[in-house]
Amino acid sequence: DKTRFGNLGLRLLGILDVQNTPCAREAILHGAGGSVAAGLLYFLATSRVKRSFDVGFAGFMVTTLGSWFYCRMNNAKLRVQQRLIQEGIKNKVAYEGTVMDPTKKGKAEAPSGPS
């Protein structure tokens, strides 16, 4: 449902399309939490308002980027695993019932090496 944003989606600072970019929404939410935690802890420790804002902003950037890269790496790993499973299923269908069937034991197995 694209309510008042039309077909543009929700854009952060006009650059990042949060709704359609994988991991963006979660990364920004984690970054917001990280910024609040970092800024508040620094403020409670030092009572310096401006520096606490700076620390909070740095916490936002670090947490957002860290969360985004972590999510993207996990997505890439998942895609590789899915591709391997799809190839395995395709091979099973292609070789099932033939001499090259990997599930058959016996003559189709080649020796493992020199003895």
Side-chain angles (χ1 to χ4, degrees), residues 2 10 26 31 60 63 68-69 76 100 107:
K2 310 262 186 206
L10 178 61
E26 292 82 8
F60 173 78
T63 309
W68 188 73
F69 280 117
M100 297 177 62
K107 294 180 185 175

Side-chain angles (χ1 to χ4, degrees), residues 82-96:
Q82 287 174 341
R83 192 174 335 118
L84 288 175
I85 290 170
Q86 285 175 344
E87 288 174 8
I89 290 171
K90 189 178 1 172
N91 287 340
K92 181 176 177 7
V93 169
Y95 294 127
E96 192 171 30

Side-chain angles (χ1 to χ4, degrees), residues 17 24 27 53 55 62 97-98 104:
D17 188 1
F53 175 80
V55 169
V62 168
T98 66
K104 283 189 176 180

Side-chain angles (χ1 to χ4, degrees), residues 10-65:
L10 178 61
R11 292 192 178 272
L12 182 67
L13 300 176
I15 307 168
L16 180 63
D17 188 1
V18 178
Q19 290 176 339
N20 297 325
T21 304
C23 303
R25 180 179 176 270
E26 292 82 8
I28 289 173
L29 290 174
H30 290 143
S35 70
V36 169
L40 187 61
L41 288 174
Y42 192 85
F43 177 75
L44 291 175
T46 63
S47 297
R48 296 174 64 188
V49 176
K50 184 182 179 327
R51 183 61 62 176
S52 297
F53 175 80
D54 294 341
V55 169
F57 185 75
F60 173 78
M61 295 302 289
V62 168
T63 309
T64 299
L65 290 175

